Amino acid sequence: MPVDFTEARDSESPDQRRAAWMAAAQAGDRRAYEKLLADSVALIRAAARRQGVAPDHLDDVVQETLITVHRVRHTYDPARSYDAWLTAIASRRAIDALRSRGRRDSREVHDEHAFDSHADEGDASSATESDERAQRLRDAIAELPPGQREAIEQLGLRERSLSEAAELTGRNTGALKVNLHRALKALRERFHGEP
């Protein structure tokens, strides 16, 4: 009569139960293998934590360990402790993850503000968006009444002082200020819906 490795016996320790499931899995019992892998996750997490793996990287170590277990399951000797075998594999995967993270951290700069506030210079979409915004602004300025357009061009785009703009345009500074204010208000309404 064949031995059913899938059901836990009351007298077995968790390690013996997992060893029995692994033996059954090696013999082709899929149900035993599924139980074994699900039951192994807590052991893998504990081994990874002992090695110093950060909580946000534990799932990666679990996944890598389970893949390794699947790949080398034929090497497990049912006469030996399954927990010790699994812990050795999990510890190695945890060390691999720590080394990989250490190498990556030594090459990468982690500054969220810099990443979020500075566009990638080689990013074609950023350049295209910038060109499109500039073209929309030029079109909006072109549609302004002549006095407002002149005030924006002289004071905003060419950054001339009020006295310089007044001298160049032949208009007084008060009129330029009023036209600039109205032009900016019109542009804000057009782009942001703000009065």
Side-chain angles (χ1 to χ4, degrees):
M1 182 169 168
V3 178
D4 182 10
F5 290 108
T6 60
E7 296 303 319
R9 295 178 197 96
D10 292 334
S11 62
E12 288 183 333
S13 71
D15 183 32
Q16 291 170 328
R17 184 178 63 243
R18 285 187 282 270
W21 286 340
M22 180 55 122
Q26 286 175 323
D29 187 337
R30 181 177 172 185
R31 200 172 106 204
Y33 191 48
E34 289 171 357
K35 283 183 177 185
L36 173 71
L37 294 179
D39 203 48
S40 296
V41 171
L43 286 173
I44 297 168
R45 285 179 160 283
R49 278 193 296 271
R50 280 193 303 270
Q51 291 295 332
V53 174
D56 57 330
H57 289 82
L58 285 174
D59 288 339
D60 295 336
V61 173
V62 168
Q63 183 177 4
E64 288 300 319
T65 303
L66 291 176
I67 289 169
T68 302
V69 165
H70 181 73
R71 213 174 40 242
V72 300
R73 67 186 181 277
H74 65 281
T75 66
Y76 172 69
D77 179 0
R80 298 192 179 267
S81 167
Y82 172 80
D83 291 2
W85 181 78
L86 178 67
T87 300
I89 293 171
S91 294
R92 289 183 193 119
R93 293 299 76 84
I95 290 168
D96 290 346
L98 291 169
R99 285 179 181 153
S100 173
R101 185 173 177 197
R103 284 190 301 268
R104 189 174 47 251
D105 288 350
S106 70
R107 291 187 307 258
E108 294 181 6
V109 175
H110 298 283
D111 186 354
E112 293 298 322
H113 176 70
F115 181 75
D116 291 339
S117 63
H118 293 43
D120 185 6
E121 290 184 22
D123 188 0
S125 63
S126 294
T128 302
E129 289 174 15
S130 179
D131 291 345
E132 289 173 357
R133 283 193 305 269
Q135 185 58 48
R136 284 195 312 266
L137 181 59
R138 283 191 292 273
D139 293 344
I141 291 171
E143 293 175 11
L144 291 172
Q148 292 178 14
R149 184 174 55 243
E150 187 176 51
I152 283 284
E153 288 172 354
Q154 295 298 320
L155 299 170
L157 299 177
R158 294 197 174 99
E159 298 180 351
R160 293 198 169 113
S161 69
L162 270 172
S163 58
E164 290 173 329
E167 189 177 313
L168 285 170
T169 61
R171 300 173 63 210
N172 69 37
T173 58
L176 283 170
K177 283 177 20 180
V178 167
N179 281 316
L180 177 64
H181 173 72
R182 289 179 180 165
L184 292 174
K185 182 178 178 185
L187 293 172
R188 268 194 304 275
E189 286 177 8
R190 178 170 180 161
F191 290 107
H192 303 292
E194 299 175 6

Short mmCIF file of all heavy atoms in Angstrom, two decimals, residues 10-63:
data_model
loop_
_atom_site.label_atom_id
_atom_site.label_comp_id
_atom_site.label_asym_id
_atom_site.label_seq_id
_atom_site.Cartn_x
_atom_site.Cartn_y
_atom_site.Cartn_z
N ASP A 10 0.00 13.69 13.00
CA ASP A 10 0.09 14.43 14.26
C ASP A 10 1.46 14.32 14.91
O ASP A 10 1.92 15.24 15.58
CB ASP A 10 -0.99 13.93 15.24
CG ASP A 10 -2.39 14.30 14.76
OD1 ASP A 10 -2.51 15.30 14.02
OD2 ASP A 10 -3.33 13.60 15.15
N SER A 11 2.14 13.21 14.72
CA SER A 11 3.42 12.99 15.39
C SER A 11 4.60 13.63 14.65
O SER A 11 5.70 13.66 15.17
CB SER A 11 3.68 11.50 15.55
OG SER A 11 3.75 10.89 14.28
N GLU A 12 4.36 14.14 13.44
CA GLU A 12 5.44 14.72 12.64
C GLU A 12 5.70 16.18 13.02
O GLU A 12 4.79 16.93 13.32
CB GLU A 12 5.08 14.72 11.15
CG GLU A 12 5.10 13.39 10.50
CD GLU A 12 4.80 13.50 9.01
OE1 GLU A 12 4.11 14.46 8.60
OE2 GLU A 12 5.24 12.63 8.27
N SER A 13 6.97 16.54 12.97
CA SER A 13 7.31 17.95 13.13
C SER A 13 7.06 18.65 11.79
O SER A 13 6.94 17.98 10.75
CB SER A 13 8.79 18.08 13.52
OG SER A 13 9.61 17.75 12.42
N PRO A 14 6.98 19.97 11.80
CA PRO A 14 6.79 20.68 10.52
C PRO A 14 7.90 20.34 9.51
O PRO A 14 7.63 20.20 8.32
CB PRO A 14 6.82 22.15 10.92
CG PRO A 14 6.37 22.16 12.34
CD PRO A 14 6.90 20.89 12.93
N ASP A 15 9.13 20.20 10.00
CA ASP A 15 10.24 19.85 9.10
C ASP A 15 10.02 18.47 8.49
O ASP A 15 10.22 18.27 7.28
CB ASP A 15 11.56 19.91 9.87
CG ASP A 15 12.77 19.63 8.98
OD1 ASP A 15 12.73 19.99 7.78
OD2 ASP A 15 13.76 19.08 9.49
N GLN A 16 9.59 17.50 9.30
CA GLN A 16 9.33 16.15 8.79
C GLN A 16 8.17 16.17 7.79
O GLN A 16 8.21 15.46 6.78
CB GLN A 16 9.02 15.20 9.94
CG GLN A 16 10.21 14.91 10.82
CD GLN A 16 9.82 14.15 12.08
OE1 GLN A 16 8.72 14.32 12.61
NE2 GLN A 16 10.74 13.32 12.57
N ARG A 17 7.15 16.97 8.08
CA ARG A 17 6.01 17.07 7.17
C ARG A 17 6.47 17.64 5.82
O ARG A 17 6.13 17.11 4.76
CB ARG A 17 4.93 17.94 7.80
CG ARG A 17 3.67 18.02 6.95
CD ARG A 17 2.58 18.86 7.59
NE ARG A 17 3.00 20.26 7.74
CZ ARG A 17 3.15 20.90 8.90
NH1 ARG A 17 2.92 20.28 10.03
NH2 ARG A 17 3.53 22.15 8.92
N ARG A 18 7.28 18.71 5.86
CA ARG A 18 7.76 19.30 4.61
C ARG A 18 8.69 18.34 3.87
O ARG A 18 8.67 18.26 2.64
CB ARG A 18 8.45 20.63 4.90
CG ARG A 18 7.46 21.75 5.21
CD ARG A 18 8.13 23.11 5.32
NE ARG A 18 8.82 23.31 6.59
CZ ARG A 18 8.26 23.83 7.68
NH1 ARG A 18 7.00 24.23 7.65
NH2 ARG A 18 8.95 23.98 8.79
N ALA A 19 9.50 17.60 4.62
CA ALA A 19 10.39 16.60 3.99
C ALA A 19 9.56 15.53 3.27
O ALA A 19 9.89 15.10 2.15
CB ALA A 19 11.30 15.96 5.03
N ALA A 20 8.47 15.11 3.90
CA ALA A 20 7.58 14.11 3.28
C ALA A 20 6.93 14.68 2.03
O ALA A 20 6.81 13.99 1.00
CB ALA A 20 6.52 13.65 4.28
N TRP A 21 6.51 15.93 2.09
CA TRP A 21 5.91 16.56 0.91
C TRP A 21 6.93 16.67 -0.23
O TRP A 21 6.60 16.46 -1.38
CB TRP A 21 5.38 17.95 1.25
CG TRP A 21 4.11 17.95 2.05
CD1 TRP A 21 3.21 16.93 2.19
CD2 TRP A 21 3.59 19.04 2.82
NE1 TRP A 21 2.17 17.32 3.00
CE2 TRP A 21 2.38 18.61 3.40
CE3 TRP A 21 4.04 20.32 3.09
CZ2 TRP A 21 1.60 19.43 4.22
CZ3 TRP A 21 3.27 21.14 3.90
CH2 TRP A 21 2.06 20.69 4.46
N MET A 22 8.19 17.00 0.11
CA MET A 22 9.21 17.11 -0.93
C MET A 22 9.49 15.75 -1.55
O MET A 22 9.64 15.64 -2.76
CB MET A 22 10.50 17.72 -0.36
CG MET A 22 11.59 17.85 -1.43
SD MET A 22 11.08 18.78 -2.89
CE MET A 22 12.30 20.07 -2.86
N ALA A 23 9.53 14.70 -0.73
CA ALA A 23 9.74 13.35 -1.26
C ALA A 23 8.59 12.98 -2.20
O ALA A 23 8.82 12.41 -3.28
CB ALA A 23 9.85 12.35 -0.11
N ALA A 24 7.38 13.33 -1.80
CA ALA A 24 6.22 13.05 -2.66
C ALA A 24 6.30 13.88 -3.94
O ALA A 24 5.98 13.39 -5.03
CB ALA A 24 4.93 13.35 -1.90
N ALA A 25 6.73 15.13 -3.82
CA ALA A 25 6.86 15.99 -5.00
C ALA A 25 7.91 15.43 -5.96
O ALA A 25 7.72 15.46 -7.18
CB ALA A 25 7.23 17.41 -4.58
N GLN A 26 9.00 14.93 -5.41
CA GLN A 26 10.04 14.33 -6.25
C GLN A 26 9.50 13.10 -6.99
O GLN A 26 9.95 12.78 -8.08
CB GLN A 26 11.26 13.94 -5.41
CG GLN A 26 12.08 15.13 -4.98
CD GLN A 26 13.22 14.73 -4.04
OE1 GLN A 26 13.07 13.84 -3.19
NE2 GLN A 26 14.36 15.41 -4.19
N ALA A 27 8.51 12.46 -6.39
CA ALA A 27 7.89 11.29 -7.02
C ALA A 27 6.77 11.68 -7.98
O ALA A 27 6.15 10.82 -8.59
CB ALA A 27 7.34 10.35 -5.94
N GLY A 28 6.52 13.00 -8.10
CA GLY A 28 5.53 13.47 -9.07
C GLY A 28 4.21 13.92 -8.50
O GLY A 28 3.27 14.20 -9.25
N ASP A 29 4.06 14.01 -7.19
CA ASP A 29 2.81 14.42 -6.56
C ASP A 29 2.69 15.95 -6.58
O ASP A 29 3.34 16.67 -5.80
CB ASP A 29 2.75 13.90 -5.13
CG ASP A 29 1.40 14.14 -4.45
OD1 ASP A 29 0.66 15.07 -4.89
OD2 ASP A 29 1.09 13.41 -3.50
N ARG A 30 1.86 16.44 -7.47
CA ARG A 30 1.72 17.89 -7.66
C ARG A 30 1.09 18.56 -6.44
O ARG A 30 1.48 19.65 -6.04
CB ARG A 30 0.87 18.16 -8.90
CG ARG A 30 0.68 19.62 -9.18
CD ARG A 30 -0.09 19.84 -10.43
NE ARG A 30 -0.41 21.26 -10.53
CZ ARG A 30 -1.15 21.77 -11.45
NH1 ARG A 30 -1.66 21.02 -12.40
NH2 ARG A 30 -1.40 23.05 -11.48
N ARG A 31 0.10 17.92 -5.86
CA ARG A 31 -0.58 18.48 -4.68
C ARG A 31 0.39 18.65 -3.51
O ARG A 31 0.39 19.67 -2.82
CB ARG A 31 -1.77 17.61 -4.30
CG ARG A 31 -2.78 18.34 -3.46
CD ARG A 31 -4.02 17.52 -3.27
NE ARG A 31 -3.95 17.05 -1.88
CZ ARG A 31 -4.55 15.99 -1.42
NH1 ARG A 31 -5.26 15.23 -2.22
NH2 ARG A 31 -4.45 15.66 -0.18
N ALA A 32 1.24 17.67 -3.30
CA ALA A 32 2.24 17.75 -2.24
C ALA A 32 3.22 18.89 -2.52
O ALA A 32 3.62 19.62 -1.60
CB ALA A 32 2.99 16.43 -2.12
N TYR A 33 3.59 19.06 -3.78
CA TYR A 33 4.52 20.11 -4.17
C TYR A 33 3.92 21.49 -3.92
O TYR A 33 4.58 22.40 -3.40
CB TYR A 33 4.91 19.92 -5.63
CG TYR A 33 6.07 20.77 -6.09
CD1 TYR A 33 7.25 20.84 -5.35
CD2 TYR A 33 6.01 21.49 -7.27
CE1 TYR A 33 8.32 21.61 -5.77
CE2 TYR A 33 7.08 22.24 -7.71
CZ TYR A 33 8.24 22.31 -6.95
OH TYR A 33 9.30 23.07 -7.37
N GLU A 34 2.65 21.67 -4.27
CA GLU A 34 1.97 22.94 -4.04
C GLU A 34 1.90 23.27 -2.55
O GLU A 34 2.15 24.40 -2.13
CB GLU A 34 0.56 22.92 -4.65
CG GLU A 34 0.58 22.95 -6.16
CD GLU A 34 -0.79 22.71 -6.78
OE1 GLU A 34 -1.77 22.46 -6.04
OE2 GLU A 34 -0.88 22.74 -8.03
N LYS A 35 1.56 22.25 -1.73
CA LYS A 35 1.52 22.45 -0.28
C LYS A 35 2.90 22.82 0.25
O LYS A 35 3.06 23.70 1.09
CB LYS A 35 1.03 21.19 0.43
CG LYS A 35 -0.44 20.97 0.36
CD LYS A 35 -0.80 19.73 1.17
CE LYS A 35 -2.28 19.49 1.19
NZ LYS A 35 -2.63 18.37 2.06
N LEU A 36 3.91 22.12 -0.25
CA LEU A 36 5.29 22.36 0.19
C LEU A 36 5.71 23.81 -0.11
O LEU A 36 6.25 24.50 0.76
CB LEU A 36 6.24 21.39 -0.51
CG LEU A 36 7.72 21.65 -0.27
CD1 LEU A 36 8.10 21.30 1.15
CD2 LEU A 36 8.56 20.88 -1.27
N LEU A 37 5.47 24.25 -1.32
CA LEU A 37 5.89 25.61 -1.70
C LEU A 37 5.14 26.66 -0.87
O LEU A 37 5.75 27.62 -0.39
CB LEU A 37 5.67 25.84 -3.20
CG LEU A 37 6.54 24.99 -4.13
CD1 LEU A 37 6.22 25.29 -5.59
CD2 LEU A 37 8.02 25.17 -3.84
N ALA A 38 3.86 26.48 -0.69
CA ALA A 38 3.08 27.45 0.10
C ALA A 38 3.57 27.47 1.56
O ALA A 38 3.68 28.53 2.17
CB ALA A 38 1.60 27.08 0.05
N ASP A 39 3.89 26.29 2.09
CA ASP A 39 4.34 26.19 3.48
C ASP A 39 5.78 26.70 3.65
O ASP A 39 6.19 27.03 4.76
CB ASP A 39 4.24 24.73 3.94
CG ASP A 39 4.14 24.60 5.44
OD1 ASP A 39 3.32 25.33 6.04
OD2 ASP A 39 4.89 23.79 6.01
N SER A 40 6.53 26.79 2.57
CA SER A 40 7.94 27.20 2.62
C SER A 40 8.12 28.71 2.66
O SER A 40 9.19 29.19 3.06
CB SER A 40 8.69 26.65 1.41
OG SER A 40 8.70 25.24 1.43
N VAL A 41 7.12 29.47 2.27
CA VAL A 41 7.26 30.92 2.17
C VAL A 41 7.67 31.55 3.50
O VAL A 41 8.57 32.40 3.54
CB VAL A 41 5.96 31.56 1.61
CG1 VAL A 41 6.00 33.08 1.71
CG2 VAL A 41 5.73 31.12 0.17
N ALA A 42 7.06 31.15 4.59
CA ALA A 42 7.40 31.73 5.90
C ALA A 42 8.86 31.45 6.27
O ALA A 42 9.55 32.32 6.81
CB ALA A 42 6.47 31.19 6.98
N LEU A 43 9.35 30.25 5.97
CA LEU A 43 10.75 29.92 6.25
C LEU A 43 11.69 30.79 5.41
O LEU A 43 12.73 31.25 5.90
CB LEU A 43 11.03 28.45 5.92
CG LEU A 43 10.48 27.41 6.88
CD1 LEU A 43 10.69 26.01 6.31
CD2 LEU A 43 11.19 27.53 8.22
N ILE A 44 11.34 30.98 4.16
CA ILE A 44 12.18 31.79 3.27
C ILE A 44 12.23 33.23 3.76
O ILE A 44 13.30 33.85 3.84
CB ILE A 44 11.65 31.73 1.82
CG1 ILE A 44 11.72 30.29 1.29
CG2 ILE A 44 12.43 32.69 0.92
CD1 ILE A 44 10.97 30.06 -0.01
N ARG A 45 11.06 33.76 4.12
CA ARG A 45 11.01 35.15 4.62
C ARG A 45 11.88 35.29 5.89
O ARG A 45 12.61 36.26 6.04
CB ARG A 45 9.58 35.55 4.94
CG ARG A 45 8.74 35.84 3.72
CD ARG A 45 7.31 36.21 4.15
NE ARG A 45 6.63 36.92 3.10
CZ ARG A 45 6.82 38.19 2.78
NH1 ARG A 45 7.69 38.90 3.43
NH2 ARG A 45 6.16 38.75 1.81
N ALA A 46 11.78 34.33 6.79
CA ALA A 46 12.56 34.38 8.03
C ALA A 46 14.06 34.34 7.73
O ALA A 46 14.84 35.11 8.30
CB ALA A 46 12.16 33.23 8.95
N ALA A 47 14.47 33.49 6.81
CA ALA A 47 15.89 33.39 6.44
C ALA A 47 16.37 34.70 5.82
O ALA A 47 17.47 35.17 6.11
CB ALA A 47 16.12 32.22 5.49
N ALA A 48 15.55 35.30 4.97
CA ALA A 48 15.92 36.56 4.31
C ALA A 48 16.02 37.69 5.32
O ALA A 48 16.95 38.50 5.27
CB ALA A 48 14.91 36.89 3.22
N ARG A 49 15.08 37.73 6.27
CA ARG A 49 15.14 38.77 7.32
C ARG A 49 16.41 38.62 8.16
O ARG A 49 17.05 39.60 8.51
CB ARG A 49 13.90 38.71 8.20
CG ARG A 49 12.70 39.43 7.61
CD ARG A 49 11.60 39.63 8.65
NE ARG A 49 11.05 38.37 9.13
CZ ARG A 49 10.02 37.73 8.57
NH1 ARG A 49 9.44 38.24 7.52
NH2 ARG A 49 9.58 36.61 9.08
N ARG A 50 16.77 37.38 8.47
CA ARG A 50 18.00 37.16 9.25
C ARG A 50 19.24 37.64 8.51
O ARG A 50 20.21 38.05 9.12
CB ARG A 50 18.16 35.67 9.60
CG ARG A 50 17.32 35.22 10.77
CD ARG A 50 17.73 33.84 11.28
NE ARG A 50 17.66 32.81 10.26
CZ ARG A 50 16.58 32.07 10.00
NH1 ARG A 50 15.47 32.26 10.68
NH2 ARG A 50 16.61 31.14 9.06
N GLN A 51 19.20 37.60 7.20
CA GLN A 51 20.34 38.07 6.40
C GLN A 51 20.35 39.59 6.26
O GLN A 51 21.29 40.17 5.75
CB GLN A 51 20.33 37.44 5.00
CG GLN A 51 20.62 35.97 4.99
CD GLN A 51 22.04 35.67 5.45
OE1 GLN A 51 22.95 36.46 5.30
NE2 GLN A 51 22.21 34.49 6.03
N GLY A 52 19.25 40.25 6.67
CA GLY A 52 19.20 41.72 6.61
C GLY A 52 18.49 42.28 5.40
O GLY A 52 18.65 43.47 5.08
N VAL A 53 17.69 41.47 4.72
CA VAL A 53 16.95 41.96 3.56
C VAL A 53 15.84 42.89 4.04
O VAL A 53 15.12 42.58 4.99
CB VAL A 53 16.36 40.77 2.75
CG1 VAL A 53 15.46 41.26 1.64
CG2 VAL A 53 17.49 39.91 2.20
N ALA A 54 15.71 44.03 3.37
CA ALA A 54 14.68 45.02 3.73
C ALA A 54 13.29 44.44 3.46
O ALA A 54 13.12 43.65 2.52
CB ALA A 54 14.89 46.29 2.93
N PRO A 55 12.30 44.84 4.25
CA PRO A 55 10.94 44.30 4.07
C PRO A 55 10.39 44.48 2.65
O PRO A 55 9.68 43.61 2.16
CB PRO A 55 10.11 45.10 5.07
CG PRO A 55 11.08 45.50 6.13
CD PRO A 55 12.39 45.71 5.42
N ASP A 56 10.75 45.58 1.98
CA ASP A 56 10.22 45.80 0.64
C ASP A 56 10.92 44.94 -0.42
O ASP A 56 10.50 44.94 -1.58
CB ASP A 56 10.29 47.28 0.26
CG ASP A 56 11.67 47.86 0.33
OD1 ASP A 56 12.47 47.38 1.15
OD2 ASP A 56 11.96 48.81 -0.43
N HIS A 57 11.94 44.18 -0.04
CA HIS A 57 12.62 43.30 -0.98
C HIS A 57 12.42 41.80 -0.66
O HIS A 57 12.95 40.94 -1.35
CB HIS A 57 14.12 43.62 -1.02
CG HIS A 57 14.42 44.92 -1.68
ND1 HIS A 57 14.33 46.12 -1.03
CD2 HIS A 57 14.79 45.20 -2.95
CE1 HIS A 57 14.64 47.08 -1.86
NE2 HIS A 57 14.92 46.56 -3.03
N LEU A 58 11.66 41.53 0.40
CA LEU A 58 11.46 40.14 0.81
C LEU A 58 10.76 39.31 -0.27
O LEU A 58 11.15 38.16 -0.52
CB LEU A 58 10.65 40.07 2.11
CG LEU A 58 11.39 40.45 3.38
CD1 LEU A 58 10.43 40.47 4.57
CD2 LEU A 58 12.54 39.51 3.65
N ASP A 59 9.76 39.89 -0.91
CA ASP A 59 9.03 39.13 -1.94
C ASP A 59 9.94 38.72 -3.09
O ASP A 59 9.77 37.64 -3.67
CB ASP A 59 7.83 39.94 -2.46
CG ASP A 59 6.71 40.03 -1.44
OD1 ASP A 59 6.67 39.19 -0.53
OD2 ASP A 59 5.88 40.95 -1.55
N ASP A 60 10.90 39.58 -3.43
CA ASP A 60 11.84 39.23 -4.50
C ASP A 60 12.68 38.03 -4.10
O ASP A 60 12.92 37.13 -4.91
CB ASP A 60 12.75 40.42 -4.82
CG ASP A 60 12.00 41.61 -5.39
OD1 ASP A 60 10.90 41.40 -5.96
OD2 ASP A 60 12.50 42.74 -5.26
N VAL A 61 13.14 38.01 -2.85
CA VAL A 61 13.95 36.89 -2.37
C VAL A 61 13.10 35.62 -2.33
O VAL A 61 13.57 34.54 -2.71
CB VAL A 61 14.57 37.20 -0.99
CG1 VAL A 61 15.26 35.97 -0.41
CG2 VAL A 61 15.54 38.36 -1.09
N VAL A 62 11.85 35.73 -1.89
CA VAL A 62 10.96 34.56 -1.86
C VAL A 62 10.81 34.00 -3.28
O VAL A 62 10.96 32.79 -3.50
CB VAL A 62 9.57 34.93 -1.27
CG1 VAL A 62 8.57 33.81 -1.51
CG2 VAL A 62 9.69 35.24 0.21
N GLN A 63 10.56 34.86 -4.23
CA GLN A 63 10.37 34.41 -5.61
C GLN A 63 11.64 33.73 -6.15
O GLN A 63 11.58 32.65 -6.73
CB GLN A 63 9.98 35.58 -6.50
CG GLN A 63 9.71 35.19 -7.92
CD GLN A 63 9.26 36.36 -8.76
OE1 GLN A 63 9.21 37.49 -8.31
NE2 GLN A 63 8.94 36.09 -10.01
#
